[in-house]
Amino acid sequence: MSAVQPVTAMAIPPELARVAGRRVLVFSPTIHFRLGPGDRALVVPGDAVVPGMPIAERTPDAELVDVGRLERTERVRPVDPPAWEKPASDESVAALRQEDRVGSTESQLAVPAGMDVKTGYVPVVMQQDRRRQPFPGKWWVGGGERRGKPARDKQTLRLGGTLLFETHGRWRAAAGERHTIVESPIAGVVREARNCVDVTIAVTGAALTGAIAAGEPSRGYLDVPRLTDGELWANALDVGRTGAVVVAGSRISAQAISRARAMSIRGLIAGSVGQGELRDLEASSLRQKASLVPSVPFGLIALDGYGRRPIATPILALLAALAGLEVAIVTDPPLLVFDVAEVPLPEFPADWVRVRSGQHAGREGRWLESAGLYRFRGGIHLDAAVVRFVDETDTIVIPVSDLERFIF
Amino acid sequence: MTNQSRAFFALDFGSATTAGSVLGLVGGRWRLIAHAAMPSHVDVDAMLAGLLTQVGLTDPEMLVELGGSADIPSHVATWPRLAARTTPPRRIAVLAGSRRQRRRLELAALRAGWLVVGGSADEDDPVVLSRLALSTETGAVLLGADRSPGNDEKRHLPDLAVLLAAVARCRPELTVVLAGGAAAYEAEFSAPRDAQPGYELATGPTRAVPVIGSSVAPVESTTEKAPVRTKKASKKAAAAGQAAAGDSPPAYVAKLGGGVTESAAGATAVAGANPPPVASMPLPQASVGPDFQPGSDRGVSAYVLLAPDAEAGQPAGASLQQVLEGLRAFPDDSRLAVARSIASLSYVLDRSIEVVEIGLQGGLRSRSEPVGQGHFAVVSSHACLADASFAPENPSEEAIDGVLAWSTTVLDRHRVMDRLNDLRLVPWGEADGDGAAFRLAAAKAACGRLVDATPEIAVHPMPELLVAAGGVFAAMPPSVVALALADLFRRPGVSQLASDQARLLGPLGVIDDEAERRQLMANLADDILMPLGSLILPAGVRQGRSAGSLRLKDGSSNSEIELHAGAVQVVDLPPGRAARVNLDFRDAVRLGNRGHRFSVDVAGGLGGLLVDLRDIPLRVSDRPDSRRAALDAWQRGMWPEIDE
C-alpha cells in the first residue's frame, strides 16, 4: 500500500474516534526560512526550487552601517522581465547543479558581498534590484563609504546587506563582510520571498511530521540502522555514516549529537530529545557560526516530544521502507521531507493505538473497548479504554487522553 | 428545530479542552442540565450528542420537553450555540526610546495577554530593534513614549518612528501601535510612499489601509456613576422583563441563529430594565488588527493604531492595556469573557468576586466588586497573562523555579523543563497519578506568577467568593483545588471557594448585552459554580502553641474543634449547607478586623470548611527537602488518594 496524497480516513467506531488521531504524513506542506536584517531572498514567488538551489543569502554578523545618501534613480515599474531574466525553470535550475551538493543546504564558506554564488547563475531578483531606487530591504553593497579611513596597507573590505531606513536623507543598512548561502533542502515552489523577512516554499511531495526540530535544515540519505532496545548507541555514529540522516532510536543524547556533527552526519531522527540537549546544540551551532571554520548543516527531529519514548512502530516501518533514499530535515515546521513521489505505507489495523504519555508511554497495542469514566490514581476520573499491549495476554485500562492512533 | 427551542448549548473552545454544556428552560428558569469536557481534538457534535444521550437516559421527558422530540441528532444540529474560544498567543515587539519607558510598555502589553519582546534605543542598536519587528513571529509592534516625552526618549523617537515605518513597508501585515507621545509620528506611516516593485512581486497586492486614528480616552475613574437607584428596584425591573419574555430564550440565543423568534420580545423587555453600567475598565469587544479588512488606499502599508501612553488610566497603564487587549483577542475571547461574566455575577450575587483562570495559553485574574449607594455599580479590574500558562512556551528559569517550589516530588531542572514542554505538546497527557501532582505544581506556579503580576488586586481585602477556573483545575479533586487556592491567595479574611467546573463563565461572557447576561446569571447562579467550601484565613496566629477553638453551629448540630497554629484544618461541611462559626483565638489575630473572637457565616462545599492557620504570607523552608515534606504533609491531608 502506498500513497501520493492524504489517505481518506478509515471508518472507525465512534468510541475510537475519541482517541487523538496523529497524522503521520502531510502532503505538499509549506515551509519557512526566516530571514533577518541584512538577509536577502534569492528567489521570487513562483520560482521552482530544487534541492541545493540557493534561496537566500544571510549576513550573520550584520551591523548598522551608515550608507549615506543614495541617488534616486528613475522609478522602474514592475513589468514582465525579459526572457533572459525570467525565473529559471525546473530544468534550467537543475542543470545549474554542477556537482552533487547533497546536504549542503547552508554553506558556511564566506562569499564576497554581492558576488554570485554559483558561476553562471545570477538570481533574477538581484538583477531587478540594481535598477530600483532605494527602499527598506533593498540589497546594498558598499564599503568605501564606511566611516573611518582604513589603514593604507590594508585592503578595503566590501560590505553587503540590506537597507534599513532613511533618516535626514541618509540611509542606514544592516550589513556585514561575511555572508552565507542558504540552499533549499527540498524541491518545491516559492510562495513568498521578502528580504529581511522570510522565504516560504510549498514543498513538492510528502513529509513526516515531527514534534521538535532543531539545528539547520539539512539533507542526506536516510540511514535506518538496527536499534538495540529501541536505541542507537553513540559509538555507532561513525564516519561510515557521513552524509546520512540517521534514525537514532528513542532518544538523542548530547554525546550522540556531538559525535554526529564531528562525523559530518547530516541529521538525527529520534523519538525524543531533552531540552538540555537542545540547548547544547543551539550553543554549539552559535559557536560554529561565529567561527570561520566551514561546517556542514546539521538538523535533528524528535518525533514525539521531550520525554523518553521509542519511535512508534508504524513510523519506524515507514522509515525502514524509505531507507537509502534522499530525505531532508526541515525545522520550520518540524518535518522530514521525502523525495519520493509515492510513499509506501505500513499496514496496521485501524484499532492500533499507542500510549503517548504516562507510565506506559511508547507501548503499543490494540483497542478493545471503552471503559467509560474510570477512577485512576489520585482519585482522578478520566475517560478510559481497555487496551491489550503487544505480546501480552492481559488487558489494561488506560486513559483515552493518553492514547493516540495513526492516520496516514 | 422550530421556534419552540427551550434549550441551547454553551461551548468553550479552549486550547487544550473543549467544554460543552446543555442549558434548558426548566420550571420557568434557565438551568444547567448537563456538561462535559473533552480534549480539543474530540468532535464537538459527538460530545454534545453524548451529553443529550445521557440526558435522555436519565430523564427522557425532560429531553422531549426541551427539544420537542427525542431526536438527538436533530437537536445537536439545530439548537443554538453560545460559544467562546481562546485566542491563540500572539507576540508583540515593544520599542521605546528608553529602558524606563520600555518596561512600562512591556508591563501593559504583558497584562493584555501578549507574548512580549522588547528593546529600547538607548540600549539596543537599530539592527537589533528591526530584527524584533521583522520576525514573522511578531504580530504587532508597539512604539510608545510619555505623553510629553522626556529628553531620554525624545531624541530617539524620530529614528525609531522611521525605522518602524520602514519595517512596516517590509511587512505590510504588521499592526503598529503608537502610544502616547509616539502618536506624533503618525505621519511617518501615512505619508505616500514610492512603490516597492520587488516586494510587490513578493507579496502580491499591497494590503494598504488608512490610518486608524482611534483616540482612546483614558479611563480615569474606577467607579462609573450611575443614576441612584436601588438594586432591588433594578432586580424588579429585570424580573418584570423576564416575566414579559415568558418562556422564550433570551435575545442572544436568537442572535446565534437558532431560529428562535420570540426572543426579540425578551430583549425589548430586558432593555426596558435599563441596567446600570458595570465595568469601570471597559472590556474590549472588538479587535482591530489582521482581521481588519483594509481599504484600497495605496501608499500606507501597515495598520496603525493610536493609543494612550503607558501611564494613562486607573491603575496606570489600564487604558493602553485595554487597547492592546482589543488588538490581541478575538471578539469572543473566552478569557475576557470570563472577566465580563464575573462582573455580572458580582452584581447579581451582590458580593465581591475574584477569579483565577489558568489555561494552556495563559491565565486571567479578575476582581469585581459592587460599590456605591445600593451597590448599583460594579468595579472591575483584570489582567490576562500569557506567562501564566501552566505549561508556558520556552519556560524561563523563574518558571522552572516556580514548579520546583510547589513540587512534592524530587525533580531536577532538566526533567521539569522536559515535563513542562511535554505538557504543552500533550496537555491532557498523564492526567492521573504522578502526572496529576506535577500538573498541580505547574498550575500553582502559574497562579503564583499571575498573583505576583497583579499587585493592584492583591491590595484589596479577601473577596467574598474566590473562583478557580480553567481546564487544569477541572480534573483535580475539589479538595485539592481548595487547598491550592488557600496556598496562593493569602490575605486575612473569610471567603467562599468555588470552581467553574462546567466552564460556563466564558460562553456567558460572550453575551453582548449586559442586562441579558445578568438575567441569565441570575437564573443560573446556583448552577454556574461548583462549591468547594469556605476558607477561614486569620493572620497573626502565633506558631508553636494552641491557637484557640472553633465552634460550628449547623442547624441542629454543634461541633467544636481545637485550632493548631501552622496547620490546615478541615471541618466537614457538605455542599448546600450553611453554618455559623464562632472562633475564639488565644491571641489577637486579624480576620477582617483585629480581635480574639469572631463569628462568621460559612457555606459548605465538596472540600468542606478549611481553617488555614499557616503564616501570611506562606512561609516554607528554603531547603528543598524540608519544603517538599511540608507541602506533601499539607497536600496529603487533602488528597489521600494520591497514595493509592
Side-chain angles (χ1 to χ4, degrees):
Chain A
M1 189 177 170
S2 62
V4 292
Q5 58 185 7
V7 178
T8 310
M10 285 185 290
I12 53 170
E15 290 176 338
L16 191 54
R18 295 207 305 273
V19 176
R22 174 175 174 180
R23 185 160 284 284
V24 178
L25 289 176
V26 289
F27 291 82
S28 301
T30 300
I31 65 169
H32 306 275
F33 294 85
R34 293 185 185 174
L35 306 180
D39 303 343
R40 66 165 167 171
L42 300 177
V43 288
V44 292
D47 273 2
V49 296
V50 293
M53 180 174 168
I55 53 171
E57 183 173 358
R58 291 191 193 277
T59 309
D61 311 316
E63 58 182 23
L64 190 69
V65 174
D66 185 358
V67 173
R69 295 182 188 280
L70 289 179
E71 191 180 344
R72 285 182 176 265
T73 56
E74 189 179 346
R75 181 173 171 175
V76 179
R77 302 290 299 176
V79 293
D80 283 343
W84 62 85
E85 283 191 356
K86 280 187 177 171
S89 64
D90 267 350
E91 294 75 18
S92 61
V93 173
L96 290 171
R97 300 181 64 203
Q98 296 169 348
E99 55 183 348
D100 183 13
R101 304 179 68 85
V102 170
S104 55
T105 56
E106 184 162 1
S107 166
Q108 291 290 321
L109 295 173
V111 179
M115 291 287 287
D116 302 328
V117 181
K118 293 187 175 182
T119 310
Y121 177 60
V122 182
V124 176
V125 68
M126 293 165 63
Q127 298 173 18
Q128 291 173 344
D129 267 2
R130 286 176 194 159
R131 290 193 293 274
R132 292 194 187 116
Q133 58 188 322
F135 56 86
K138 185 186 178 185
W139 184 250
W140 168 82
V141 180
E145 301 88 342
R146 204 175 183 192
R147 282 174 295 178
K149 287 186 178 178
R152 183 172 293 177
D153 55 343
K154 284 191 177 175
Q155 186 185 359
T156 304
L157 289 170
R158 302 287 287 172
L159 297 172
T162 53
L163 296 178
L164 278 184
F165 59 92
E166 182 189 19
T167 173
H168 305 301
R170 299 179 69 83
W171 279 90
R172 304 282 196 283
E177 297 163 3
R178 200 160 60 94
H179 301 271
T180 58
I181 295 298
V182 179
E183 296 175 356
S184 173
I186 46 84
V189 178
V190 177
R191 289 281 175 241
E192 195 171 48
R194 295 183 288 182
N195 286 5
C196 307
V197 182
D198 65 350
V199 173
T200 304
I201 298 175
V203 176
T204 306
L208 175 68
T209 55
I212 309 159
E216 299 153 356
S218 64
R219 184 177 176 81
Y221 71 89
L222 184 63
D223 186 358
V224 189
R226 190 183 182 85
L227 304 174
T228 308
D229 294 333
E231 281 202 49
L232 182 72
W233 290 14
N235 58 12
L237 299 170
D238 55 23
V239 73
R241 295 200 152 91
T242 300
V245 172
V246 182
V247 177
S250 61
R251 184 144 178 120
I252 305 175
S253 65
Q255 186 190 4
I257 293 172
S258 302
R259 196 174 170 90
R261 297 193 74 183
M263 299 297 164
S264 292
I265 287 171
R266 307 294 185 187
L268 294 175
I269 303 167
S272 63
V273 60
Q275 188 68 40
E277 283 74 27
L278 291 174
R279 284 185 174 183
D280 288 349
L281 175 62
E282 190 182 355
S284 170
S285 297
L286 287 174
R287 282 196 302 272
Q288 199 81 51
K289 282 180 181 173
S291 73
L292 296 174
V293 182
S295 68
V296 293
F298 174 83
L300 66 83
I301 281 191
L303 299 170
D304 288 315
Y306 297 82
R308 180 186 292 270
R309 71 207 81 177
I311 296 177
T313 314
I315 294 177
L316 205 53
L318 178 71
L319 293 173
L322 294 166
L325 298 175
E326 288 287 320
V327 295
I329 289 178
V330 175
T331 54
D332 187 12
L335 292 173
L336 183 72
V337 181
F338 310 123
D339 257 3
V340 292
E342 201 167 334
V343 183
L345 297 182
E347 293 191 10
F348 280 85
D351 59 358
W352 188 267
V353 290
R354 178 172 182 260
V355 184
R356 58 178 177 172
S357 47
Q359 58 178 330
H360 300 290
R363 300 191 71 180
E364 296 174 31
R366 307 284 294 266
W367 163 288
L368 296 181
E369 60 179 339
S370 170
L373 206 58
Y374 194 85
R375 187 177 187 275
F376 287 94
R377 235 186 99 208
I380 309 288
H381 291 80
L382 296 167
D383 193 12
V386 182
V387 174
R388 178 177 289 127
F389 289 137
V390 177
D391 299 332
E392 284 199 7
T393 52
D394 293 341
T395 60
I396 189 166
V397 179
I398 300 277
V400 171
S401 53
D402 278 348
L403 296 175
E404 65 179 354
R405 59 192 168 85
F406 297 93
I407 305 168
F408 284 96
Chain B
M1 187 59 199
T2 66
N3 57 6
Q4 301 300 316
S5 175
R6 296 159 61 90
F8 66 96
F9 297 117
L11 299 168
D12 188 344
F13 295 101
S15 305
T17 305
T18 300
S21 306
V22 180
L23 292 102
L25 202 55
V26 179
R29 56 178 286 211
W30 290 95
R31 299 298 303 265
L32 173 64
I33 308 296
H35 70 90
M38 297 269 185
S40 53
H41 63 78
V42 174
D43 180 51
V44 175
D45 287 352
M47 181 177 74
L48 297 179
L51 273 178
L52 291 184
T53 304
Q54 288 186 5
V55 172
L57 290 172
T58 310
D59 191 345
E61 290 175 4
M62 179 190 280
L63 185 63
V64 174
E65 186 186 343
L66 292 176
S69 70
D71 184 4
I72 289 174
S74 168
H75 297 336
V76 170
T78 56
W79 280 6
R81 298 182 182 198
L82 190 63
R85 56 186 170 145
T86 302
T87 307
R90 295 185 67 200
R91 197 172 85 160
I92 192 167
V94 171
L95 306 184
S98 65
R99 181 170 59 175
R100 169 187 62 85
Q101 185 62 233
R102 174 174 64 87
R103 285 184 176 166
R104 286 182 189 169
L105 295 168
E106 282 180 351
L107 189 62
L110 283 169
R111 292 170 57 90
W114 288 86
L115 297 168
V116 178
V117 290
S120 57
D122 62 348
E123 288 186 320
D124 305 301
D125 79 6
V127 176
V128 175
L129 298 179
S130 61
R131 193 181 300 279
L132 297 177
L134 284 166
S135 169
T136 49
E137 290 179 349
T138 300
V141 182
L142 168 63
L143 173 62
D146 281 340
R147 189 179 297 175
S148 302
N151 285 334
D152 59 340
E153 53 183 345
K154 198 173 183 178
R155 60 197 171 98
H156 296 296
L157 283 177
D159 283 354
L160 281 176
V162 170
L163 181 146
L164 191 50
V167 166
R169 291 181 68 186
C170 291
R171 294 193 59 209
E173 74 276 15
L174 200 64
T175 302
V176 176
V177 183
L178 300 176
Y185 298 90
E186 180 191 349
E188 294 289 342
F189 300 85
S190 57
R193 294 193 185 93
D194 302 321
Q196 304 167 34
Y199 295 115
E200 283 179 357
L201 275 175
T203 60
T206 310
R207 297 173 60 203
V209 285
V211 170
I212 304 163
S214 75
S215 55
V216 179
V219 180
E220 299 293 352
S221 167
T222 57
T223 310
E224 195 163 345
K225 296 293 181 188
V228 178
R229 56 191 289 194
T230 62
K231 183 177 276 188
K232 208 174 198 178
S234 170
K235 282 181 177 172
K236 270 184 183 174
Q242 188 180 351
D247 288 350
S248 59
Y252 54 85
V253 176
K255 287 174 197 164
L256 293 166
V260 185
T261 56
E262 302 95 333
S263 52
T268 308
V270 172
N274 189 22
V278 175
S280 60
M281 179 182 160
L283 291 157
Q285 295 276 356
S287 64
V288 180
D291 293 335
F292 183 80
Q293 291 302 312
S296 58
D297 291 357
R298 291 180 64 85
V300 185
S301 56
Y303 309 104
V304 180
L305 192 64
L306 305 187
D309 65 274
E311 290 294 297
Q314 184 65 37
S319 300
L320 180 59
Q321 178 190 339
Q322 182 193 338
V323 173
L324 295 176
E325 271 176 359
L327 186 64
R328 177 192 65 84
F330 294 143
D332 57 352
D333 179 69
S334 58
R335 206 150 276 143
L336 296 178
V338 167
R340 278 193 288 271
S341 286
I342 286 297
S344 301
L345 195 61
S346 173
Y347 176 83
V348 168
L349 299 179
D350 194 16
R351 50 167 70 177
S352 58
I353 305 179
E354 204 170 306
V355 64
V356 58
E357 191 261 2
I358 302 294
L360 181 62
Q361 304 294 3
L364 164 83
R365 189 182 187 193
S366 176
R367 182 187 170 95
S368 293
E369 190 171 7
V371 293
Q373 191 176 355
H375 281 188
F376 192 64
V378 174
V379 175
S380 293
S381 62
H382 71 275
C384 300
L385 254 74
D387 190 40
S389 156
F390 66 88
E393 196 172 2
N394 302 319
S396 62
E397 293 297 325
E398 291 75 24
I400 304 294
D401 286 338
V403 178
L404 284 171
W406 287 111
S407 176
T408 52
T409 54
V410 182
L411 293 167
D412 64 65
R413 302 184 71 82
H414 287 301
R415 183 82 182 118
V416 170
M417 207 181 296
D418 288 348
R419 290 188 72 170
L420 275 180
N421 285 328
D422 270 338
L423 199 54
R424 187 163 186 88
L425 288 174
V426 188
W428 272 75
E430 203 178 357
D432 61 323
D434 295 340
F438 181 77
R439 294 157 76 92
L440 180 64
K444 282 184 175 180
C447 223
R449 291 193 291 277
L450 196 55
V451 169
D452 291 344
T454 48
E456 79 284 355
I457 294 179
V459 298
H460 291 285
M462 196 72 164
E464 291 164 270
L465 177 60
L466 186 55
V467 181
V472 74
F473 291 122
M476 299 280 175
S479 55
V480 177
V481 179
L483 179 64
L485 292 174
D487 285 344
L488 293 157
F489 295 87
R490 302 204 62 78
R491 283 170 281 165
V494 180
S495 192
Q496 193 180 344
L497 307 177
S499 166
D500 179 24
Q501 189 73 8
R503 295 185 67 170
L504 275 175
L505 293 176
L508 295 182
V510 170
I511 301 169
D512 285 339
D513 190 278
E514 178 66 30
E516 289 177 24
R517 196 186 315 134
R518 284 179 181 173
Q519 182 184 328
L520 194 61
M521 287 280 184
N523 272 218
L524 289 166
D526 295 337
D527 299 342
I528 293 175
L529 302 175
M530 182 178 79
L532 298 176
S534 294
L535 172 67
I536 298 175
L537 191 56
V541 178
R542 290 194 185 173
Q543 302 296 312
R545 51 193 288 193
S546 170
S549 63
L550 175 150
R551 189 177 302 151
L552 187 139
K553 288 182 183 173
D554 173 19
S556 57
S557 65
N558 284 350
S559 56
E560 185 169 346
I561 60 169
E562 190 178 341
L563 299 175
H564 302 284
V568 182
Q569 292 177 260
V570 182
V571 181
D572 193 27
L573 190 64
R577 297 268 288 275
R580 175 162 285 268
V581 171
N582 294 313
L583 296 150
D584 190 356
F585 290 99
R586 188 180 296 270
D587 302 310
V589 299
R590 275 187 296 124
L591 193 66
N593 302 319
R594 190 169 181 84
H596 288 268
R597 292 184 178 82
F598 300 89
S599 182
V600 294
D601 291 323
V602 294
L606 295 170
L609 169 64
L610 272 70
V611 185
D612 189 340
L613 301 170
R614 298 175 294 177
D615 290 325
I616 297 177
L618 190 62
R619 284 187 206 153
V620 193
S621 170
D622 288 336
R623 294 177 58 195
D625 292 344
S626 308
R627 185 179 180 89
R628 273 196 300 273
L631 291 174
D632 192 42
W634 290 323
Q635 190 168 292
R636 207 170 288 268
M638 304 293 287
W639 198 3
E641 302 93 339
I642 196 67
D643 292 329
E644 288 174 355

